[in-house]
Amino acid sequence: MLDSKVIIAGGGIAGLTLGLTLHQIGVPFTVFEAAREMKPLGVGINLQPNAVRELFDLGITADDLDKVGLPAEEWALVGLNGREVYAEPRGLGAGYNWPQYAVHRGLLHMLLYDTLISRAGADAVQLGSKVTDYTEDSAGVVATVQAAGANNTETGAVLVAADGIHSAIRAQMYPDQPPIHWGGAVMWRGTVRAKPMRTASSFVGLGTHRHRMVIYPISKPDEDGTALINWIAEVTMDDAGAWQQDGWFKPVAIDEFIHHFEEFRYDWLDVPAMLRDADCAYVNPMIDRDPVPSWVDGAVALMGDAAHAMYPTGSNGASQAIVDARVIGAKMFEHGVTKTALAAYDAQLCAPVSELVLRNRGAGPFGLLNLLDERCGGVFDDIETVIPADERKDFMAKYKAAAGFAIETLNAAAPTIPQGARLNR
């Protein structure tokens, strides 16, 4: 079984990180990706220190990540009146052994793809090829791969589905699963050239839990002091059935939503002016899927959004996908390319990450804005009289622990995969 191949369905961040991990430990694999061409799609995302640690252990360096983003220095929440609710340092400045990174999602994706191709060869990723279903036999898994208008079969010891929130493999595993869950929040996302606020790399959440902006840079400032700034504008609708558009990430005109944020004007930020200068804007609903009892069906496993699509409120989606890949690799190093390895991965991550999905559905770290709204409507003179400092710190500590990046725990943890680990042939 050690020489048996892993079939990876999906070449996003999850699937490519798994490919890099398997190559590192000497496990054969092929990634099947439905897109005919890899393109740098998307806007900004955050990589938490637990994920950056794993990328460093894969040989992706700080210099590499600096080309697609920059280390985060601060995380801050601000009320409706523009006053600070909570702020803390992030990454190395917070005491982690690894930085947190704010990156351009598409550039990170291309970095992973180019790195995998350079290490494992062009055949490691089969573009224009979609895994549509699977069957198990005595040797492992037979997957149906749709490519060039024809259906082919691919055999392997195991199949790992990294095919996203619309996963065909998850749908086969759970044919009666509920539809995608939408709680009523709509996000407009884009980028703009502007000067960073607060620090050179601050993540700023502004507003209320139902009406807010998230703003952070994803590049270092140029000579003129401006950087590429990622922004997310979000409104929660009372009618959770009101989303009538087709598609999930569509270009949109600024005039279609700017009216929601006309009053977000402060001496340190003019949101309407920032939005009018935007390079691009996309709209999509904030969606996730209800957790399932297991991510594994024998020799088939789910990972990334196929396993645990979650609201982006805690900046956990891409980070958890990277951690998934590394844990799968660790279990294969321990148990071989077997069902046992997949079961061990499931036992370690499914339950706690499912809890995180539900925690993020409840606003994640932005839950502080829920408390603020309940207690003062988001407007205050002295935050200490509304949410005392100890209560704010305790709230954030509990979220970090649930999300897997509590400082002391992460810093003390052994590497997920021992340095130089390879399966014996």
Side-chain angles (χ1 to χ4, degrees):
M1 293 296 289
L2 293 179
D3 289 325
S4 297
K5 185 170 68 175
V6 176
I7 302 169
I8 303 174
I13 290 172
L16 295 176
T17 305
L18 180 57
L20 285 165
T21 297
L22 297 180
H23 178 264
Q24 182 184 58
I25 64 174
V27 173
F29 68 92
T30 303
V31 177
F32 294 95
E33 165 55 41
R36 290 182 172 84
E37 179 184 0
M38 287 294 198
K39 297 179 180 179
L41 304 176
V43 282
I45 59 172
N46 267 261
L47 297 177
Q48 302 293 353
N50 58 339
V52 174
R53 177 181 88 147
E54 303 298 345
L55 293 178
F56 283 2
D57 286 352
L58 274 170
I60 292 172
T61 67
D63 287 343
D64 294 328
L65 292 178
D66 285 343
K67 295 173 183 176
V68 302
L70 77 167
E73 296 181 16
E74 181 191 47
W75 192 89
L77 288 180
V78 179
L80 267 183
N81 56 359
R83 294 177 181 267
E84 182 180 296
V85 176
Y86 179 83
E88 65 178 19
R90 282 295 174 102
L92 298 176
Y96 287 98
N97 292 341
W98 304 272
Q100 176 176 327
Y101 264 84
V103 301
H104 188 290
R105 187 262 175 210
L107 296 180
L108 172 68
H109 186 211
M110 295 305 297
L111 169 63
L112 296 175
Y113 175 68
D114 292 340
T115 302
L116 181 58
I117 294 302
S118 69
R119 294 179 184 179
D123 292 340
V125 181
Q126 298 294 313
L127 299 178
S129 302
K130 180 179 181 180
V131 178
T132 59
D133 58 61
Y134 67 90
T135 58
E136 290 191 72
D137 61 19
S138 58
V141 176
V142 179
T144 303
V145 179
Q146 191 176 75
N151 288 330
N152 307 300
T153 57
E154 189 76 20
T155 59
V158 300
L159 164 65
V160 180
D163 51 345
I165 193 170
H166 301 289
S167 170
I169 306 307
R170 176 175 168 137
Q172 180 177 344
M173 195 180 291
Y174 291 99
D176 297 324
Q177 68 177 342
I180 287 173
H181 171 268
W182 177 53
V186 175
M187 297 183 295
W188 296 271
R189 311 179 67 150
T191 56
V192 64
R193 297 295 310 187
K195 292 184 177 181
M197 60 195 69
R198 295 180 63 95
T199 73
S201 183
S202 287
F203 178 109
V204 179
L206 162 67
T208 75
H209 64 297
R210 293 177 58 86
H211 183 201
R212 67 176 180 241
M213 294 289 304
V214 172
I215 307 164
Y216 58 90
I218 54 175
S219 76
K220 293 180 180 179
D222 289 339
E223 292 182 359
D224 64 358
T226 66
L228 187 63
I229 306 293
N230 181 80
W231 55 263
I232 304 169
E234 179 187 323
V235 172
T236 299
M237 301 179 177
D238 292 327
D239 179 8
W243 182 259
Q244 300 296 330
Q245 298 190 41
D246 294 327
W248 304 98
F249 198 79
K250 298 176 60 175
V252 64
I254 299 294
D255 288 343
E256 290 188 23
F257 65 91
I258 195 172
H259 59 282
H260 292 295
F261 303 94
E262 286 290 354
E263 296 182 4
F264 280 40
R265 301 173 190 267
Y266 313 98
D267 56 3
W268 54 277
L269 173 67
D270 185 328
V271 168
M274 180 191 73
L275 293 176
R276 289 190 178 94
D277 288 338
D279 306 317
C280 58
Y282 303 91
V283 61
N284 63 296
M286 186 182 289
I287 53 177
D288 67 6
R289 280 201 182 275
D290 291 343
V292 291
S294 173
W295 298 342
V296 169
D297 175 23
V300 182
L302 309 175
M303 70 175 299
D305 281 352
H308 49 69
M310 63 182 80
Y311 286 4
T313 52
S315 302
N316 309 114
S319 296
Q320 187 58 52
I322 291 167
V323 171
D324 290 353
R326 301 295 288 165
V327 172
I328 291 172
K331 300 309 181 185
M332 288 184 178
F333 176 68
E334 182 179 357
H335 301 288
V337 187
T338 62
K339 296 179 182 180
T340 303
L342 299 186
Y345 151 73
D346 189 53
Q348 179 173 329
L349 292 184
C350 181
V353 176
S354 294
E355 291 179 5
L356 182 61
V357 170
L358 298 178
R359 188 181 288 261
N360 278 2
R361 192 178 284 182
F366 287 92
L368 276 176
L369 295 180
N370 296 36
L371 290 177
L372 188 71
D373 185 60
E374 292 169 2
R375 296 179 186 182
C376 68
V379 178
F380 57 90
D381 292 321
D382 182 2
I383 189 60
E384 289 297 320
T385 65
V386 184
I387 311 175
D390 287 346
E391 185 177 2
R392 285 174 277 151
K393 290 179 181 177
D394 182 63
F395 183 96
M396 288 303 301
K398 289 178 178 176
Y399 184 82
K400 290 174 188 174
F405 57 96
I407 295 176
E408 296 81 4
T409 303
L410 181 61
N411 284 352
T416 304
I417 298 174
Q419 185 175 6
R422 286 183 67 83
L423 285 175
N424 295 322
R425 292 302 186 94

